Amino acid sequence: MSNLEFKEQMHEYSQWRAKLIQAIEMYHQWRNRYGMNDAHSTDIILNILTGLESDRITLAFVAEFSRGKTELINSLFFAETGLRLLPSSPGRTTMSPTELFHDEKGGSYIRLLNIESRLEDLSLAEFKKKPECWHHIDLDCNSPTQMQEAFKELVATKLVDRELADKLGLWNEREAAEQGIINPEKVEIPCWRHALISFPHPLLQEGLAILDTPGLNALGTEPELTLSMLPRAQAIVFVLAADTGVTKSDMEMWRSHVCSTRGSSKQGLAVVMNKIDAMWDDLAGENGYETSIQSQVKNSASILKINEEVIFPVSAKQALLAKVKNDAALLEKSRLAVLENYLANNILRQRRSILMDTIVRDMGFLISESSNLTNSSYTNAVSQLEEFKKIDFQNQDMTGKLMAETRDRQNVYLANIENFQASRRVFSVQAKMLVDSFGKEKIDAVIKRTKNDMSKSLTTYGMKQNIRKLFDELRDLLQDSVDITNETRRLVKAIHKKFKDEYGFQEIEPQLFSIKQYQFELEQIFEEGEAFRTSTKTTMTEQSIVINKLYNTLIAKARNILAQAHTDAAVWSNSVLTPLMHQIKDHKRQIESRLQMLRKINESKGNVAESIASLEAELAPLKRQRDELAIIIKSMQLDAHSLAKTEH
């Protein structure tokens, strides 16, 4: 299988996503058409659409120096330019973490963030929102040579005073001494801290993004890379060299920066054993070569504690050459196709199922509610028609009695609506307390206090105490909300139960808000921070800059989780009674239409056939509404099973 495999799958994935977006837009229009829209459901749907439209599949490449990682990226994705697009000649290693993607609005460019920006108290995520802080180079996509020339900037270095290098976290006395460098005045450091590259490559246009991270030093001094950017990637490709196997620094990188971001399941992970061409030893013959590759794979799998299936022996250099020369035999010998298939099948499929889960989680409730409502409206209309067909409308008393009954129902109903409005007022007071309990002001106060304590204690032990204290306080903040949540949940259940008991309203199990997930995520962030702090202690002991960056990264992540809790609580409290309101409205409509019908029959004295015909005519739009929804749900490919999951 050729590289088309990954490209085709990527293309298919992007087509699938486009169809899904279209189906969700159709659903949104359907809600509008039948007057089921409210501000809240519109928000949910628009958020999902925004998420899908900006969705990217990010592959992160992680490796120590000289493992041939950049060459691998070139051979996997950029061979058709006919040249080495990303600089990967020996000794010239990508110095700054680089992101490649397609920015439709911004066009083709390289943006470079200078290395001194590390001294500023801003995260990479914040810098990305300020294009004016970056050095900008326009790319000419019609000239591969201009692009290649521009890309050389990625490996630029400069000489600076040792004090500055030290401040930036780029000087390690021990390592320098091992290389025989003692007390130098000047030190060579990378010019750039981070690079963003956008150009309209077909794969990038379909939503692929690539994160190319340099060796251990950069990962050790940029906590944000390890703790925020790598975990967000759909897959991490970890590159080893076949001729050296797993070295000590590979192992350190694997433990500190790869395993921690993949969790215990190690999903979305591929280990590439590059440079197998170094083992193409003619004397050993085909069998000997195969055996030595297999034993290297076995060995690496047992050291890294992973399955042999996710280790891919390849020669990136030969694969690139084979693609440029169009040499099928050499391409096969490079074994790149096996890796491409794995990325295409496993990673893309996984991403698809994650997106579907998100949609079912956020929208499944709306869809099952629409489905239940349209079905019950239709069923009620059918049973009313059947009932009217059987009634002897010549009998005036009978008609009068039916009208009186229906009016009574209407009065009881109106009284209950008042009850509902009262319950709703109580609920909104309660819900406001819940939403306020995660308010930004409360969180900021806690963070500010700990930040002050931290600046006073820069020992790593003091640091750990302060971070622990911060996370404990944030968790306590959530704990306060737990009681409010339980109170709010009880109220919602009671309101729902009342309408079910009194009107036989369909039991739409109210989604209940839970805080557990956020508490769990906070704990996880603390543990990741601890793992990072202890694993990189050699580079971090006295480097207040890295300590500061770690602290800021952890705070940003904790803030995001609490902001999410805040948004989710607001969304939940705005929406949890909506299904009930829809049923109430529908019920009101049914009573009114029944009264109107009885009145008509009563006045027309016996023109029952006409009334029945008009009832029959009312069924058609209800049936159409129901059928349209069924088609839309089908085109979303949300199978019954996934909807069932959200209802329970």
Side-chain angles (χ1 to χ4, degrees):
M1 292 189 195
S2 67
N3 188 25
L4 280 176
E5 189 62 31
F6 185 74
K7 283 187 180 159
E8 276 169 1
Q9 294 257 17
M10 192 68 208
H11 181 62
E12 198 181 280
Y13 172 83
S14 104
Q15 301 282 76
W16 165 80
R17 194 178 51 213
K19 280 190 190 131
L20 186 58
I21 289 174
Q22 196 184 8
I24 293 172
E25 283 168 343
M26 277 161 58
Y27 174 61
H28 191 211
Q29 288 156 7
W30 178 91
R31 286 183 78 95
N32 274 333
R33 198 161 48 244
Y34 294 107
M36 281 188 162
N37 245 351
D38 50 89
H40 167 71
S41 62
T42 299
D43 268 0
I44 290 183
I45 294 171
L46 294 181
N47 281 340
I48 287 178
L49 287 171
T50 311
L52 281 171
E53 278 156 8
S54 60
D55 165 64
R56 283 186 181 151
I57 295 266
T58 304
L59 299 183
F61 288 78
V62 179
E64 255 304 31
F65 288 120
S66 72
R67 301 291 184 263
K69 169 174 54 70
T70 310
E71 192 80 317
L72 178 66
I73 296 174
N74 280 331
S75 66
L76 275 168
F77 309 112
F78 305 125
E80 70 285 342
T81 54
L83 38 89
R84 285 197 168 91
L85 205 49
L86 298 177
S88 65
S89 51
R92 306 294 288 159
T93 307
T94 320
M95 295 301 243
S96 62
T98 303
E99 293 178 69
L100 294 126
F101 50 85
H102 174 53
D103 167 3
E104 212 171 332
K105 291 193 186 81
S108 305
Y109 57 78
I110 297 184
R111 283 187 191 145
L112 301 153
L113 185 61
N114 70 30
I115 192 79
E116 289 79 5
S117 66
R118 277 193 182 180
L119 301 173
E120 294 181 47
D121 214 2
L122 281 181
S123 66
L124 287 169
E126 289 166 306
F127 270 119
K128 284 178 189 172
K129 292 178 191 148
K130 301 178 173 237
E132 69 279 3
C133 297
W134 300 67
H135 171 62
H136 185 101
I137 304 173
D138 284 317
L139 288 178
D140 174 4
C141 296
N142 299 321
S143 161
T145 24
Q146 186 267 347
M147 287 178 78
Q148 202 177 21
E149 204 46 47
F151 283 175
K152 283 189 182 150
E153 197 52 65
L154 298 174
V155 296
T157 58
K158 59 183 175 186
L159 284 171
V160 297
D161 292 340
R162 193 184 67 225
E163 288 75 37
L164 178 60
D166 198 17
K167 243 191 195 156
L168 291 168
L170 292 170
W171 164 250
N172 185 321
E173 207 162 324
R174 188 175 46 82
E175 278 177 21
E178 283 169 13
Q179 294 163 21
I181 305 170
I182 312 282
N183 241 349
E185 269 183 36
K186 299 276 185 190
V187 176
E188 190 182 22
I189 65 166
C191 289
W192 310 111
R193 173 185 179 192
H194 201 83
L196 302 174
I197 302 179
S198 159
F199 65 102
H201 180 281
L203 282 171
L204 301 180
Q205 282 174 310
E206 309 220 289
L208 179 71
I210 293 165
L211 171 62
D212 182 7
T213 62
L216 196 52
N217 284 353
L219 285 171
T221 48
E222 290 280 8
E224 202 175 341
L225 269 179
T226 301
L227 298 175
S228 290
M229 291 170 77
L230 286 179
R232 279 205 301 269
Q234 272 68 58
I236 293 183
V237 180
F238 183 63
V239 190
L240 301 165
D243 47 359
T244 56
V246 184
T247 66
K248 186 166 161 274
S249 63
D250 287 329
M251 200 56 207
E252 191 178 332
M253 198 167 205
W254 171 259
R255 266 205 306 265
S256 309
H257 305 287
V258 179
C259 288
S260 57
T261 62
R262 287 295 100 174
S264 53
S265 64
K266 305 242 179 0
Q267 263 196 325
L269 185 59
V271 174
V272 171
M273 212 167 72
N274 193 15
K275 305 191 178 185
I276 55 170
D277 48 309
M279 298 157 76
W280 289 354
D281 179 352
D282 294 337
L283 295 174
E286 200 53 48
N287 286 349
Y289 160 65
E290 196 50 57
T291 314
S292 48
I293 281 188
Q294 278 319 311
S295 88
Q296 196 58 296
V297 166
K298 209 179 198 55
N299 204 4
S300 303
S302 88
I303 296 174
L304 300 174
K305 300 188 176 56
I306 49 167
N307 276 340
E308 289 180 27
E309 287 87 86
V310 295
I311 299 185
F312 301 89
V314 302
S315 165
K317 185 175 155 195
Q318 301 301 330
L320 182 60
L321 192 62
K323 285 183 178 183
V324 172
K325 288 185 165 173
N326 219 346
D327 177 341
L330 183 59
L331 187 59
E332 184 154 331
K333 203 173 174 191
S334 77
R335 304 194 183 200
L336 192 70
V338 191
L339 172 66
E340 287 180 338
N341 279 342
Y342 173 77
L343 292 176
N345 294 321
N346 296 40
I347 307 307
L348 291 178
R349 191 169 297 147
Q350 212 175 311
R351 180 64 186 156
R352 219 170 166 150
S353 101
I354 288 171
L355 281 183
M356 284 306 252
D357 284 351
T358 310
I359 287 164
V360 166
R361 188 193 68 216
D362 296 345
M363 237 175 69
F365 190 64
L366 288 179
I367 293 170
S368 31
E369 185 223 346
S370 311
S371 199
N372 287 337
L373 263 178
T374 44
N375 283 333
S376 72
S377 300
Y378 181 70
T379 322
N380 288 331
V382 169
S383 61
Q384 181 152 298
L385 176 65
E386 293 309 312
E387 183 195 358
F388 276 16
K389 279 181 181 168
K390 290 181 193 139
I391 290 173
D392 172 12
F393 283 111
Q394 301 307 318
N395 180 341
Q396 289 286 305
D397 295 348
M398 177 83 172
T399 321
K401 200 169 133 212
L402 278 175
M403 280 181 82
E405 266 174 26
T406 310
R407 275 206 193 92
D408 287 347
R409 265 166 63 188
Q410 193 178 31
N411 291 333
V412 173
Y413 182 75
L414 292 170
N416 267 343
I417 293 293
E418 280 184 15
N419 275 343
F420 174 70
Q421 299 297 12
S423 309
R424 206 169 142 199
R425 282 191 290 276
V426 175
F427 174 75
S428 57
V429 171
Q430 189 68 35
K432 187 178 178 334
M433 281 166 64
L434 171 64
V435 175
D436 290 349
S437 69
F438 311 108
K440 193 171 173 306
E441 300 70 32
K442 286 190 171 180
I443 293 159
D444 285 350
V446 172
I447 288 174
K448 198 174 168 195
R449 204 167 51 245
T450 337
K451 234 176 173 166
N452 283 339
D453 295 347
M454 274 212 42
S455 58
K456 295 181 196 127
S457 120
L458 271 180
T459 64
T460 45
Y461 176 72
M463 155 110 182
K464 178 184 177 176
Q465 296 306 92
N466 281 316
I467 289 191
R468 176 74 276 177
K469 192 170 143 228
L470 168 72
F471 277 85
D472 285 344
E473 286 192 34
L474 292 177
R475 272 217 327 283
D476 292 347
L477 204 70
L478 278 177
Q479 197 51 49
D480 295 343
S481 315
V482 170
D483 308 331
I484 307 177
T485 309
N486 290 339
E487 197 45 52
T488 318
R489 284 168 67 148
R490 270 197 294 279
L491 196 57
V492 171
K493 279 188 142 161
I495 297 175
H496 270 264
K497 185 175 182 329
K498 180 177 164 53
F499 277 84
K500 180 177 181 255
D501 295 349
E502 298 194 9
Y503 291 112
F505 269 18
Q506 208 165 358
E507 174 85 273
I508 297 185
E509 178 65 34
Q511 274 177 316
L512 294 177
F513 185 71
S514 162
I515 294 221
K516 281 198 188 67
Q517 171 202 350
Y518 312 106
Q519 288 178 308
F520 171 71
E521 285 176 16
L522 273 180
E523 194 49 42
Q524 239 180 343
I525 291 179
F526 174 73
E527 281 166 14
E528 284 166 12
E530 262 312 280
F532 186 93
R533 198 179 61 78
T534 48
S535 70
T536 39
K537 55 177 173 290
T538 45
T539 51
M540 267 178 87
T541 356
E542 292 311 314
Q543 281 179 7
S544 54
I545 179 165
V546 181
I547 288 185
N548 229 336
K549 291 260 172 287
L550 170 61
Y551 187 66
N552 289 340
T553 304
L554 295 179
I555 284 187
K557 286 191 80 170
R559 237 201 201 109
N560 286 343
I561 283 177
L562 290 159
Q564 190 61 51
H566 186 259
T567 312
D568 291 350
V571 162
W572 175 76
S573 55
N574 286 331
S575 67
V576 68
L577 295 178
T578 312
L580 202 51
M581 280 154 56
H582 284 157
Q583 285 201 54
I584 285 172
K585 251 184 173 154
D586 198 55
H587 197 71
K588 179 172 181 247
R589 191 186 55 75
Q590 284 170 28
I591 294 180
E592 285 167 357
S593 113
R594 184 182 172 89
L595 265 177
Q596 201 182 350
M597 214 34 139
L598 288 166
R599 214 174 280 126
K600 231 170 151 181
I601 291 176
N602 215 9
E603 287 159 8
S604 65
K605 302 276 182 288
N607 195 353
V608 179
E610 204 177 285
S611 304
I612 291 209
S614 77
L615 261 184
E616 273 170 343
E618 270 180 31
L619 282 181
L622 287 173
K623 186 172 184 309
R624 189 171 62 244
Q625 179 180 354
R626 196 184 64 165
D627 296 347
E628 282 172 10
L629 181 63
I631 292 168
I632 291 171
I633 291 177
K634 196 172 176 204
S635 68
M636 281 187 206
Q637 300 169 4
L638 299 176
D639 50 8
H641 142 83
S642 56
L643 279 176
K645 279 202 300 203
T646 62
E647 285 174 40
H648 297 304

